[in-house]
Amino acid sequence: MKSKPPLFVILEDHPEVAQNNYLFLQKLEPEAICEMAQTHTEVLERLLLETPDLVIIDLLFGTATGEQSAQASLVLLQQIFQDYPMLNILIYTSEYGYLKPLIKSIGRHQGGFVVVSKLERRKAFLEGVRHALDGKLEIPRELRYDIDLDEREMQVLMLLCRESLTDKAIAMRLNLSLKTIQNCVQRLKAKLSIDYLDENDTSTRVALCMEAVRRKLIVL
């Protein structure tokens, strides 16, 4: 039986940017269905019909006065966090500072959440899409200071640091899939700003535990 093609929704008020995103997404997933939305209401209406595999959101939209505003996009994100906690999201913007008021909600979101700057090359955009689809959390380091760990992340952190368990052993202990635990460890590294370290030079699991102790998240 042929699998269903992935569905991507692109929220962008500049048609040429939306078209470029569409073309790059088709390079990544030739069978993908890509739908364009020029308003935040269109996205919410689409979500009521079917949950896409990924929503790509530009934060800044033009207003009636000719200025750029992130308010409507932030309201949309709040609605998504409330009603679609597993939705994969990619934020495509060069003004990610507007996300600061939502940082706690971002930390609790269970789907992929990746921020990619428009100043980066298109390779970074496609990599961000892949990571969002994988359920990863990737946000700029400047946004991470007030981010919280959820209950599952704390459980995994305890087992990783206090008992030195492998991902596979943690998955068996918590009766969860290995993929779920691997994603959880990745999100822990992102939330504690360990993910930028070069794994060829540093044991990121050791660094993760040291940072958790430093922040008094756990006591060894």
Side-chain angles (χ1 to χ4, degrees):
M1 183 176 178
K2 189 175 181 180
S3 60
K4 187 177 179 181
L7 172 62
F8 301 145
V9 174
I10 303 168
L11 174 62
E12 173 64 62
D13 62 343
H14 293 92
E16 66 279 6
V17 176
Q19 182 64 25
N20 285 337
N21 288 344
Y22 167 78
L23 293 174
F24 273 87
L25 287 169
Q26 287 212 311
K27 289 182 180 180
L28 179 66
E29 292 281 355
E31 303 297 321
I33 298 171
C34 299
E35 298 187 1
M36 316 285 193
Q38 289 188 300
T39 70
H40 302 81
T41 300
E42 287 180 45
V43 175
L44 290 174
E45 290 174 349
R46 189 65 186 83
L47 290 175
L48 288 174
L49 298 175
E50 182 181 4
T51 302
D53 296 273
L54 177 69
V55 173
I56 298 170
I57 298 174
D58 183 9
L59 280 187
L60 292 177
F61 270 65
T63 66
T65 62
E67 298 177 342
Q68 295 279 301
S69 173
Q71 184 58 34
S73 295
L74 297 181
V75 171
L76 171 64
L77 283 171
Q78 288 175 321
Q79 192 70 45
I80 288 174
F81 292 148
Q82 177 180 311
D83 297 337
Y84 305 94
M86 299 301 297
L87 182 63
N88 297 319
I89 302 167
L90 184 138
I91 304 296
Y92 190 48
T93 183
S94 55
E95 301 289 345
Y96 53 77
Y98 287 106
L99 292 169
K100 286 182 179 179
L102 299 184
I103 196 62
K104 290 189 180 296
S105 296
I106 291 171
R108 291 191 294 266
H109 188 63
Q110 298 173 53
F113 192 94
V114 176
V115 179
V116 176
S117 171
K118 287 186 176 182
L119 302 178
E120 296 281 352
R121 295 181 180 274
R122 281 291 172 166
K123 180 180 178 182
F125 173 78
L126 291 178
E127 188 175 79
V129 169
R130 292 190 189 95
H131 291 175
L133 289 170
D134 284 342
K136 292 183 177 181
L137 172 68
E138 292 183 358
I139 59 176
R141 293 173 66 186
E142 296 91 329
L143 299 178
R144 300 179 186 184
Y145 297 107
D146 295 325
I147 204 163
D148 293 329
L149 306 187
D150 62 28
E151 183 178 352
R152 176 180 293 172
E153 288 164 346
M154 283 300 303
Q155 284 182 306
V156 171
L157 188 63
M158 294 289 188
L159 293 172
L160 190 157
C161 296
R162 286 184 174 174
E163 301 188 33
S164 304
L165 297 185
T166 64
D167 292 350
K168 184 177 180 180
I170 294 173
M172 294 178 64
R173 178 76 64 87
L174 299 181
N175 196 27
L176 295 168
S177 71
L178 177 58
K179 178 70 172 177
T180 297
I181 299 304
Q182 289 172 335
N183 274 348
C184 189
V185 172
Q186 183 276 328
R187 294 171 75 88
L188 282 167
K189 291 177 180 179
K191 289 183 177 184
L192 299 185
S193 293
I194 300 302
D195 55 329
Y196 71 93
L197 296 175
D198 186 348
E199 294 195 8
N200 293 320
D201 299 324
T202 307
S203 170
T204 54
R205 295 171 77 89
V206 172
L208 177 62
C209 294
M210 290 178 65
E211 182 63 16
V213 170
R214 189 187 72 80
R215 297 193 188 194
K216 297 182 173 57
L217 295 171
I218 62 172
V219 178
L220 297 180

